[in-house]
């Protein structure tokens, strides 16, 4: 944003849209991987009903937590601002 309460430029709006889309897609992928890792055995093996239900519910819960955590972490990192283009390098004028 430009100053306090200013409007965002088109480039800033586009960057925020892309970052939000990336956050959602990467969160969906991470949640799917976690769900597959936890609940996958239910679909591969014949397990007792209680264990199947426990794995499915815990897989859903963990996938939701990982998805939300991923979205939050990406968006918090985005709000901090741009990273240096060449980390670890010093300015030749210093």
């Amino acid at each position: 944003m430009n100053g306090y309460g200013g409007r965002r430029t088109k480039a800033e709006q586009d960057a925020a849209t892309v970052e939000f889309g990336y956050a959602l897609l990467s969160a969906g992928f991470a949640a799917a991987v976690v769900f597959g890792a936890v609940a996958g055995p239910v679909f591969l093996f014949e397990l007792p009903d209680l264990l199947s239900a426990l794995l499915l519910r815990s897989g859903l819960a963990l996938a939701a937590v990982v998805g939300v955590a991923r979205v939050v972490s990406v968006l918090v990192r985005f709000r901090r601002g741009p990273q240096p283009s060449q980390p670890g390098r010093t300015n030749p004028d210093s």
Side-chain angles (χ1 to χ4, degrees):
M1 292 236 272
N2 299 334
Y4 294 101
R7 292 191 162 265
R8 290 182 179 177
T9 64
K10 180 65 174 157
E12 290 171 333
Q13 289 175 352
D14 291 346
T17 301
V18 168
E19 198 68 21
F20 188 70
Y22 168 72
L24 289 177
L25 286 175
S26 65
F29 179 76
V33 168
V34 168
F35 178 77
V38 174
V42 172
F43 303 111
L44 296 175
F45 306 110
E46 193 164 327
L47 300 173
D49 291 339
L50 181 61
L51 184 58
S52 295
L54 179 67
L55 286 175
L56 285 173
R57 287 182 182 156
S58 60
L60 284 172
L62 284 173
V65 169
V66 166
V68 169
R70 179 65 182 157
V71 168
V72 169
S73 69
V74 168
L75 294 180
V76 165
R77 187 180 61 215
F78 176 69
R79 278 192 75 122
R80 287 187 190 154
Q83 297 293 319
S85 61
Q86 295 178 339
R89 299 210 177 178
T90 58
N91 188 351
D93 297 334
S94 59

